[in-house]
Amino acid sequence: MDYLNLGCGYHFHPNWTNIDFISTGEGVIAHNLRQGIPFPDASFDVVYHSHVLEHFAKEEAKQFLYECHRVLRPKGQIRVVVPDLEQIARLYLKALEEASQGSQEWAANYDWLMLEMYDQTVRNRSGGDMAVYLAQEEIPNEKFVIERIGAEGENLIKLLRPQRQQILSNLRATHSSKTPEDIAKEIGQFRLGGEVHQWMYDRYSLSSLLAKAGFTDVRVCKPNESNIPNFDDYRLDVEPSGRVRKPDSLFVEAIASRPNLWRQQFNVNRAHNFVSAPLKIIQANTVDFGGGAARAAYRLHKGLNKIGHQSLMLVNNKQSFDDTVSAVKPIHRDGDSNRKLISILQKNYIDSNRTPISNTLFSFPYPGFNLSQLDELLEADVINLHWVTQFQSPLTIKQLIGLQKPIVWTLHDMWAFTGGCHYTAGCTKYTSDCIDCPQLKEDPHNLAAAILADKIASLADAHLTIVTPSHWLAECAKQSQLFKHQRIEVIPNSLETDVFVPVDKAKARELLRLEANIFTLLIGADNGNERRKGFMDLLNALRLCLKSNQFQNMAQQNKVQLLCFGLPNEELKSLNIPLKSFGRVDSDEILKLIYSAADIFVLPSLEDNLPNTMLEAMSCGTPVVAYDVGGIPDLVKEGVTGRLVRLEDTSHLAEVILECSSSPGDLQKMGKQCRQLIEAEYGLESQAKRYLELYQDLLGKRDFASPVEQVGILSNGNDSKRSNHLNPQTISVAVPLETMFATLDNPTFERASLKAALMEMELMRSLPTHTDSQEPPQPAQAKLQKVRTQLKSSQEKIQELQAEVEAMKTSKFWKLRSLWFKLKGLVGLRQD
């Protein structure tokens, strides 16, 4: 466990991390604690500070405790020791009463207690009147004073007595030679120097302050008791003799919980009543903005809150100001070494090993963030997963399933049920085993097959409800090896129909400084160089259009213009058509003008689910020209809301574009029908109500015994978008980061294959690039071959041991366990 001692002074233990404003010993970190605690979130299991908090101003103290909470792991403990105002006040009242009755002993005690209460807060010089009192050759109530301030006070008395004359001399010194400004500056510098007590605490005020900082289970304890494991061994509050170091103190401990986001954001605490009370729904997505899936998930989140339910969004990367979105950060622990190894695999085995068939994402499914023990998840009625790459893994999803709550997984691409690709480029191996993946050049470990097998091992028997925005993706999921026995529903995505509204075309072009009466084509994508987006097809189609005399004349007379947003394909500039690129557009208001300014929105995707851009263009009254592929025909109806083109038929695409260029009346009519359809079916509330119907159905059944094979049609639809966002105020929760190697028992052969692939990448990275100083660098192929030779014998031994394990299933447990540890050691797994 990791322990942190803040403001440790000269009293610290070497096994702790110790910090003070100045270094007071070997290993003590010098740091100004007014500037925060110099460690990442969730770094420690215990935070301790003694007689530190009272030196901060009241507001500073609050921020300091927030920092303590930040660096603590969930359920970590804090121990705070401060002078006890209540104890001082009670003794003061007793001393006042006794001294008033003539007791000389209590008169002296009264003088000391006044110094405890006031001198430490009002003094203008080091030591103040308390130092003068303690420096007396004979202190009239020395026993009482030492009982109050303990062993440290006794040592202080021994230190101050020899300096009595110097202390008195300093006290008599005047400021006669200094200006009032110099005196004020001197006093100010002293009072800001850290010696003076800025506030006092009793059990009520300190407990309240800890609670506001997110701590729970606050309790007052005795100096010699603690819930911190082995705290007595460190002798921070009690000396080996049993003597309390600071007996005038208040000792308080608490647990690092955090404000419950349901109550913090919605201010509601209710019993489960699914008929009349709002549902608590978790939406989990890797990010809240950036990319189509994020915009779609966030729009559902907004829609559910809009219709009166409580949606809380958990993300790995928060970019918005929305308080109902919370960032999840990992607890740093041993699993980080595996995380680094996984990043090597992603970079070397996957990203740099792709075939020309696709350059769309291909993602390794580990590590994942374990959300299963968050209070918000435990209180939720429904958990809705979305695009969770690099956020949730098969293991962490399995942990969520263990909560026995309805889990809906909304798919925004194909990754959930493949061996790693987000779009398959026409491959259907996800329906069986993903062996020999066509998207990887070399795959000696059959990585894609191993990933799919791992997903099946973790999730095939789980009870999930799959939602897809398009009928095409629903059919793919139904055919997949992973989801073929799950319930599958189609619920289209939504968008803000009150934001994406048609703007008069002439006005939109005027505001964007575009030519008015010319044929305007719009294209847009986050990355125009992604092959599946089909921009090369569009380029070829436009080149064919330019072979038409009429279109060529229009281009030469500047009667045609091409607009684009996002990251464009550079080859667009090679066309003899005026091009205006708006780049990445974060403003919905500007995007609305761009859509409205266009005559047609051309969407040449070769694979797509239900593009946000299609919904947005249609909502702004712009018809869509697109390939008849994926989920596009769910919205684009031939001649009604746009034009559908035969897949990869660039001649047909060119033909349709030419027809549109000469049919402004038809385009205007289709644009109006686009807007009518979007308004009627694809608003935020429409989508939210369809999801709510599904959630309530699942909650009503509460049947998690076995998956149900069912494809239901709840509607017909599409996707979502953005909101203006910069520099978010992040509400963070810290959770364990899970990798399969650090947490899973009984790894299958597929997981051993994944480990072998990781080992290969690590060994490859460690190999020297020269065999000696005279030889040239080794080619990558030679390096790979050398690594595989090194791994071959280990893999053979792994298989032999696995065979032995199978043969010994009926043996005594201890013998099987011994063999299992051998296997773990061979592949480098942890032994705990």
Side-chain angles (χ1 to χ4, degrees), residues 48-51 78-84 87 201-203 206-207 210 218-226 231 236-238 244-254:
Y48 165 86
H49 44 86
S50 175
H51 286 246
I78 189 171
R79 183 176 175 94
V80 181
V81 184
V82 292
D84 189 348
Q87 187 186 125
Y201 298 92
D202 52 35
R203 53 193 165 92
L206 182 55
S207 297
L210 284 165
V218 182
R219 72 183 192 101
V220 177
C221 50
K222 296 178 181 177
N224 59 355
E225 67 179 13
S226 174
F231 185 74
L236 294 177
D237 288 335
V238 180
V244 178
R245 286 185 56 243
K246 293 180 178 290
D248 60 340
S249 301
L250 171 66
F251 302 84
V252 174
E253 290 185 357

Side-chain angles (χ1 to χ4, degrees), residues 186-213:
E186 187 176 292
I187 292 173
Q189 287 176 334
F190 167 74
R191 290 190 60 78
L192 294 175
E195 178 179 323
V196 174
H197 289 187
Q198 301 283 349
W199 201 253
M200 292 287 286
Y201 298 92
D202 52 35
R203 53 193 165 92
Y204 173 76
S205 60
L206 182 55
S207 297
S208 299
L209 189 59
L210 284 165
K212 288 177 182 177

Side-chain angles (χ1 to χ4, degrees), residues 334-457:
D334 294 343
D336 277 0
S337 60
N338 283 325
R339 191 182 188 190
K340 292 175 183 176
L341 201 57
I342 287 168
S343 70
I344 295 169
L345 181 145
Q346 179 68 48
K347 179 180 178 181
N348 294 285
Y349 199 112
I350 298 174
D351 297 344
S352 62
N353 187 34
R354 300 293 297 279
T355 64
I357 191 174
S358 175
N359 62 351
T360 297
L361 286 175
F362 190 118
S363 304
F364 193 67
Y366 285 93
F369 293 69
N370 180 9
L371 307 177
S372 63
Q373 297 308 306
L374 286 178
D375 290 342
E376 287 77 8
L377 271 292
L378 297 174
E379 288 186 30
D381 297 314
V382 177
I383 299 167
N384 199 148
L385 304 176
H386 289 268
W387 198 91
V388 291
T389 307
Q390 299 176 341
F391 185 36
Q392 293 296 288
S393 69
L395 171 60
T396 57
I397 293 173
K398 186 174 183 178
Q399 291 167 330
L400 292 176
I401 291 166
L403 297 178
Q404 292 292 296
K405 296 176 182 291
I407 294 184
V408 174
W409 194 347
T410 301
L411 308 187
H412 299 277
D413 57 31
M414 305 173 79
W415 176 82
F417 53 80
T418 71
C421 64
H422 289 250
Y423 282 91
T424 67
C427 172
T428 58
K429 291 185 177 183
Y430 64 88
T431 63
S432 54
D433 53 21
C434 279
I435 289 176
D436 297 327
C437 174
Q439 294 198 29
L440 298 177
K441 291 179 184 176
E442 293 194 19
D443 190 11
H445 302 289
N446 252 317
L447 182 68
I451 289 173
L452 180 57
D454 191 59
K455 290 179 179 179
I456 291 170

Side-chain angles (χ1 to χ4, degrees), residues 261-262 265-268 270-283 298-313 322 324 380-382 384 684-697 699:
L261 295 176
W262 293 120
Q265 305 306 340
F266 300 104
N267 195 29
V268 173
R270 62 171 180 80
H272 289 279
N273 180 345
F274 304 122
V275 176
S276 59
L279 295 184
K280 290 181 175 180
I281 307 148
I282 292 289
Q283 306 290 339
Y298 184 71
R299 281 169 167 164
L300 171 59
H301 168 68
K302 284 173 58 178
L304 287 164
N305 284 325
K306 189 174 181 179
I307 65 172
H309 289 266
Q310 298 166 33
S311 180
L312 183 64
M313 195 170 185
D322 192 336
T324 62
D381 297 314
V382 177
N384 199 148
L684 295 183
E685 293 187 23
S686 296
Q687 181 198 26
K689 288 174 181 177
R690 291 166 185 145
Y691 269 90
L692 182 61
E693 180 183 338
L694 174 62
Y695 297 154
Q696 289 174 330
D697 181 53
L699 289 165

Side-chain angles (χ1 to χ4, degrees), residues 71-90:
V71 300
L72 274 169
R73 293 172 181 140
K75 307 302 180 184
Q77 299 185 66
I78 189 171
R79 183 176 175 94
V80 181
V81 184
V82 292
D84 189 348
L85 175 60
E86 179 184 7
Q87 187 186 125
I88 295 172
R90 291 185 185 279

